[in-house]
């Protein structure tokens, strides 16, 4: 049996988790800082790193306590060291190094984005191991988060190659900005998801950007601007001098929920269209890489509409769908500890010079 302690602090969640044999999550502690950042309508890096410093040790202690274990029982310590906010990453990386050094355990470095693609393999108890099989490879990967909207060709959990990505905003970022336009709060994704259920997704015709024929890239900035104009009308003047005729206070509640539903329909539809394009292209151009599974991860994989649409899509295209349980969609450390199991068995360890890295190469 292998027990790995995972640590995650790349953005505004301080998290620690213990995972058994790469799949069974024994504890999953996430201290969210959303309240601290809400009034700024986005993450303030300096506030985030200070909060990580306060939270990191209690969160690690709680993860051991919940799993009924002590540090002695742990085989290795894994940390998400890339990509993310540098000041936030440094807190998790320093804590992991200090623990590894003082307890004489191996240290494992994990890429946060790769870990999101591993989250679907995690289960909450032993008996779910058989009912929730692991992805089959080759697979098509999709990370939809606050920082990423990227499609991957996956040959294994560690061999992943990006084949399409957003050229402007990430989908989660677009959700958060849409919530600012609709004056809903932060983070916007869950709030839009909730009110969209009461709205008519066909009420407003918002754009689904497809980019060039054959392109597997995404673009969400046009959708965001279209939503802004639908709410406030076309502006008179440009840039800072632009004057809008109206604002969200001038709309009825029904109009606001219709706008949320129409925004969500357009954003998710754009993702589904690109998934279709990707599967068709791979099947016809490189049949030997044709995906058997569709592997999804990242905060936006919690979205109820996305979950419904990808379920239909996977069924229609005869793909095995691997989407994380709700608890493992958002930033968490279980995905870090789970993926680290593969590195552990490959004897792939980091040393105490391990840096925090703001942008990870190629992913
Ligand atoms: O993966 P994550 O926790 O952090 C990053 O690595 O970015 O993703 C956070 C993003 C935020 O933009 C948040 O608004 C979005 O995921 N999100 C959602 C939902 N829950 C979280 N977006 C749409 N629908 C949701 N239910
Ligand atoms: Zn993330």
């Amino acid at each position: 049996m292998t027990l790995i302690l995972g640590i995650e602090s790349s953005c505004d969640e301080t998290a620690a988790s213990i995972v058994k044999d790469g799949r069974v999550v024994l504890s999953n502690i996430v201290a969210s800082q959303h309240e601290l950042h809400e009034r700024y309508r986005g993450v303030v890096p300096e506030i985030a790193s200070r909060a990580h410093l306060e939270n990191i040790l209690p969160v690690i202690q709680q993860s051991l306590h919940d799993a009924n274990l002590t540090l002695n029982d742990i085989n290795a310590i894994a940390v998400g060291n890339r990509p993310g906010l540098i000041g936030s990453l440094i807190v998790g990386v320093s804590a992991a190094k200090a623990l590894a050094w003082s307890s004489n355990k191996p240290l494992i470095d994990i890429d946060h984005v790769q870990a999101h693609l591993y989250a679907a393999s995690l289960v909450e108890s032993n008996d779910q191991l058989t009912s929730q099989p692991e992805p089959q490879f080759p697979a098509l990967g999709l990370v939809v988060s606050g920082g990423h909207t990227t499609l991957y060709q996956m040959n294994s959990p560690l061999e992943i190659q990006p084949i399409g990505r957003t050229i402007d905003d990430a989908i989660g970022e677009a959700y958060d900005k849409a919530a600012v336009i609709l004056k809903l709060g932060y983070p916007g994704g869950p709030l839009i998801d909730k009110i969209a259920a009461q709205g008519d997704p066909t009420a407003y015709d918002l754009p689904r950007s497809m980019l060039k024929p054959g392109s597997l890239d995404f673009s969400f900035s046009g959708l965001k601007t279209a939503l802004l104009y639908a709410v406030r009308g076309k502006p008179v003047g440009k840039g800072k001098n632009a004057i809008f005729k109206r604002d969200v206070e001038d709309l009825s509640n029904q109009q606001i929920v219709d706008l949320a539903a129409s925004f969500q329909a357009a954003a998710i539809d754009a993702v589904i269209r690109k998934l279709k394009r990707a599967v068709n292209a791979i099947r016809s151009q490189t049949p030997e890489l044709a995906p058997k599974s569709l592997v999804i991860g990242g905060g936006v994989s919690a979205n109820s509409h996305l979950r419904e649409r990808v379920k239909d899509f996977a069924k229609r295209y005869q793909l095995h769908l691997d989407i994380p349980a709700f608890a493992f969609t958002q930033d968490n450390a279980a995905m870090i500890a789970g993926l680290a199991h593969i590195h552990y068995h490959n004897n792939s360890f980091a040393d105490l010079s391990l840096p925090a890295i703001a942008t990870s190469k190629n992913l």
Side-chain angles (χ1 to χ4, degrees):
M1 181 171 73
T2 311
L3 296 168
I4 297 187
L5 163 65
I7 297 174
E8 152 65 35
S9 69
S10 65
C11 189
D12 60 343
E13 261 98 22
T14 322
S17 163
I18 318 275
V19 175
K20 182 174 71 127
D21 295 332
R23 294 201 61 200
V24 185
V25 180
L26 303 184
S27 64
N28 182 32
I29 310 299
V30 182
S32 165
Q33 308 172 4
H34 292 166
E35 280 157 31
L36 296 178
H37 302 286
E38 194 169 4
R39 56 192 284 225
Y40 305 102
R41 301 183 299 187
V43 178
V44 182
E46 185 61 25
I47 294 177
S49 26
R50 282 167 196 266
H52 282 306
L53 260 179
E54 284 172 20
N55 292 338
I56 192 90
L57 291 179
V59 163
I60 293 170
Q61 266 162 347
Q62 190 69 38
S63 73
L64 287 163
H65 179 267
D66 279 18
N68 238 332
L69 296 167
T70 68
L71 200 52
N72 275 340
D73 304 312
I74 300 296
N75 298 93
I77 292 154
V79 62
N81 76 320
R82 62 193 189 276
L85 300 171
I86 195 75
S88 291
L89 287 166
I90 282 173
V91 178
V93 170
S94 308
K97 283 185 195 176
L99 281 180
W101 178 74
S102 60
S103 63
N104 204 16
K105 311 267 180 200
L107 178 67
I108 299 171
D109 58 305
I110 294 291
D111 184 292
H112 178 90
V113 181
Q114 222 165 18
H116 270 308
L117 285 173
Y118 188 81
S121 297
L122 299 168
V123 294
E124 279 161 313
S125 68
N126 278 329
D127 34 288
Q128 289 170 0
L129 280 170
T130 38
S131 59
Q132 205 182 305
E134 288 187 272
Q136 294 159 20
F137 296 98
L140 178 66
L142 170 71
V143 174
V144 275
S145 71
H148 282 74
T149 312
T150 312
L151 281 168
Y152 299 91
Q153 172 72 48
M154 300 180 74
N155 292 332
S156 77
L158 295 180
E159 293 163 86
I160 69 174
Q161 192 65 36
I163 55 171
R165 55 163 45 111
T166 181
I167 59 165
D168 40 54
D169 293 345
I171 185 169
E173 197 181 349
Y175 262 94
D176 294 339
K177 288 179 180 166
V180 171
I181 295 170
L182 294 171
K183 300 192 179 166
L184 296 174
Y186 172 82
L191 299 167
I192 291 188
D193 192 4
K194 195 165 160 215
I195 67 164
Q198 302 144 36
D200 172 4
T202 62
Y204 294 84
D205 187 18
L206 298 177
R208 281 99 165 122
S209 169
M210 292 302 284
L211 301 172
K212 278 189 251 141
S215 167
L216 298 180
D217 290 336
F218 300 88
S219 166
F220 293 101
S221 69
L223 171 60
K224 186 184 63 191
T225 308
L227 177 74
L228 178 73
Y229 290 176
V231 171
R232 301 182 70 179
K234 280 246 164 77
V236 181
K238 280 194 172 160
K240 279 192 197 146
N241 302 321
I243 297 167
F244 290 94
K245 316 194 238 307
R246 56 171 194 265
D247 207 338
V248 76
E249 292 79 8
D250 303 312
L251 304 180
S252 68
N253 269 348
Q254 192 56 47
Q255 281 173 311
I256 294 172
V257 295
D258 285 348
L259 281 161
S262 303
F263 169 85
Q264 171 149 291
I268 305 300
D269 203 36
V271 172
I272 300 293
R273 290 184 191 194
K274 286 295 157 92
L275 286 176
K276 283 185 191 159
R277 223 181 230 185
V279 175
N280 289 333
I282 301 167
R283 281 183 178 165
S284 65
Q285 289 159 24
T286 46
E288 69 285 5
L289 298 178
K292 295 178 182 151
S293 299
L294 171 62
V295 182
I296 304 185
V300 184
S301 67
N303 185 269
S304 56
H305 186 55
L306 177 114
R307 291 178 87 93
E308 263 170 43
R309 296 276 323 258
V310 293
K311 207 169 147 194
D312 286 351
F313 170 79
K315 202 167 159 197
R316 188 131 47 90
Y317 279 72
Q318 294 178 308
L319 296 166
H320 184 263
L321 177 63
D322 295 273
I323 191 160
F326 198 75
F328 310 127
T329 54
Q330 313 292 312
D331 284 353
N332 66 84
M335 64 186 191
I336 303 286
L339 182 59
H341 184 250
I342 302 177
H343 292 274
Y344 184 82
H345 285 282
N346 288 344
N347 281 318
S348 164
F349 299 115
D351 63 35
L352 294 177
S353 66
L354 179 71
I357 304 169
T359 42
S360 59
K361 265 189 243 132
N362 302 328
L363 294 185

